[in-house]
Amino acid sequence: MLQSGACANCDRAIAGPDQKFCPTCGQTTPAHRIDWHFLGHELEHSVLHMDRGIFYSLKELMLRPGHLMRDYIEGRRANQVKPMLLLMISAALVVLLGKFLLGGDLIGPSLQAGAGYVEGSSVGVEGGAAAAASAKTAVAVKDWINAHLAAFTLLLLPFQAGAFWLAFKGRGLNYPEWLVISAFLTVQTFIFMAAAVLVQRWLPSAQMWVVPFAFFYLVFSLVQYFQSSSRWKTALRALLGFILFTVVSSLISAAAGFVLVSMSMHG
């Protein structure tokens, strides 16, 4: 123990042995010397407690997603991991699984299928050139997203939140709250991506099912969140938000692909 009568951080007097935190600066009181007991205590209360929060949040996000998101929005957050931290952890997990099990190609199958169709089709010279350019752009986008999945996800998150904010306007949620909900919904998508990577060996088309499953869970989550509203109206609003986000993300991907192809041609 470093000091017994005052806060080690700001020197405020400690009221008594039952005082756990300094009311002025929030420092834990009393401060203890760093020894093996201290390190064991820190390990238990930081790493292990964080893990329990992660497992709890992931379990609730898949079993009771609407209730989990409502609890977080309404301030009941004691047992939950912050959504952005959960998003980064799930993204890292997907990237690691993709690197070791798929050679780093997480979104390749669908784009490669389109490119394969272009290469094998008998079209005119001009049409073939345009199709080849489109395929090259798609490959450039695929390679960039595979290399920067977390950055791409964060880039699209504000647009996803905006799409659902517009679709659910009048339901009492502001834009920052939709950012939180969108982060949770994206974590769900990463969970499905991770599952698809794990079963890819036995089900080669597993990655093609990620988007349908993610959309189904998105609708399920929002219907559960707005449980006091009409399920069909909520489902239709969710579909509208999903369509808006898909259009915007496609335009962003196309623009990014054009930039990447142009840079490669002038590089």
Side-chain angles (χ1 to χ4, degrees):
M1 189 178 297
L2 299 182
Q3 294 187 42
S4 58
C7 172
N9 187 59
C10 68
D11 292 329
R12 173 166 177 157
I14 296 175
D18 294 332
Q19 181 176 308
K20 303 300 182 182
F21 299 94
C22 174
T24 300
C25 66
Q27 163 83 19
T28 302
T29 58
H32 292 271
R33 181 179 180 180
I34 298 176
D35 53 18
W36 289 110
H37 179 270
F38 175 84
L39 291 177
H41 185 271
E42 288 293 296
L43 177 65
E44 177 186 359
H45 285 271
S46 57
V47 178
L48 296 183
H49 282 194
M50 186 184 72
D51 287 347
R52 290 168 190 163
I54 290 173
F55 293 138
Y56 170 82
S57 296
L58 290 177
K59 181 193 73 174
E60 293 294 297
L61 190 59
M62 301 311 294
L63 298 180
R64 302 172 64 254
H67 299 302
L68 174 84
M69 292 186 290
R70 193 185 317 108
D71 285 345
Y72 197 91
I73 295 297
E74 294 179 355
R76 296 181 291 276
R77 304 163 189 163
N79 297 323
Q80 297 193 39
V81 174
K82 291 179 174 61
M84 293 306 297
L85 175 61
L86 197 63
L87 179 62
M88 292 296 97
I89 291 173
S90 58
L93 174 63
V94 170
V95 169
L96 287 175
L97 288 175
K99 179 178 180 179
F100 289 107
L101 298 180
L102 296 178
D105 190 5
L106 287 164
I107 63 168
S110 58
L111 292 176
Q112 286 175 347
Y117 172 79
V118 169
E119 292 174 358
S121 59
S122 55
V123 294
V125 175
E126 293 183 359
S134 298
K136 187 175 182 179
T137 300
V139 171
V141 171
K142 178 203 73 171
D143 292 340
W144 191 89
I145 295 176
N146 279 327
H148 307 87
L149 181 63
F152 185 70
T153 300
L154 290 176
L155 172 67
L156 291 183
L157 196 63
F159 297 98
Q160 182 179 2
F164 285 103
W165 176 73
L166 289 174
F168 283 88
K169 205 166 184 180
R171 286 290 183 92
L173 292 174
N174 60 31
Y175 178 75
E177 289 170 331
W178 274 110
L179 277 172
V180 170
I181 292 175
S182 297
F184 279 125
L185 295 175
T186 304
V187 172
Q188 287 180 340
T189 301
F190 281 143
I191 292 173
F192 287 121
M193 290 179 67
V197 172
L198 290 173
V199 302
Q200 184 77 16
R201 179 178 178 182
W202 301 277
L203 295 173
S205 62
Q207 285 179 279
M208 306 293 290
W209 290 94
V210 169
V211 172
F213 271 93
F215 173 70
F216 170 81
Y217 243 76
L218 181 150
V219 174
F220 169 65
S221 301
L222 295 179
V223 166
Q224 195 175 79
Y225 185 96
F226 297 104
Q227 58 182 0
S228 60
S229 303
S230 168
R231 293 183 178 181
W232 288 109
K233 289 182 179 179
T234 299
L236 289 175
R237 286 180 181 237
L239 176 61
L240 174 60
F242 183 80
I243 291 174
L244 289 174
F245 173 59
T246 300
V247 170
V248 172
S249 60
S250 298
L251 292 174
I252 293 174
S253 297
F258 176 78
V259 172
L260 291 170
V261 171
S262 299
M263 290 175 60
S264 65
M265 292 177 62
H266 293 88

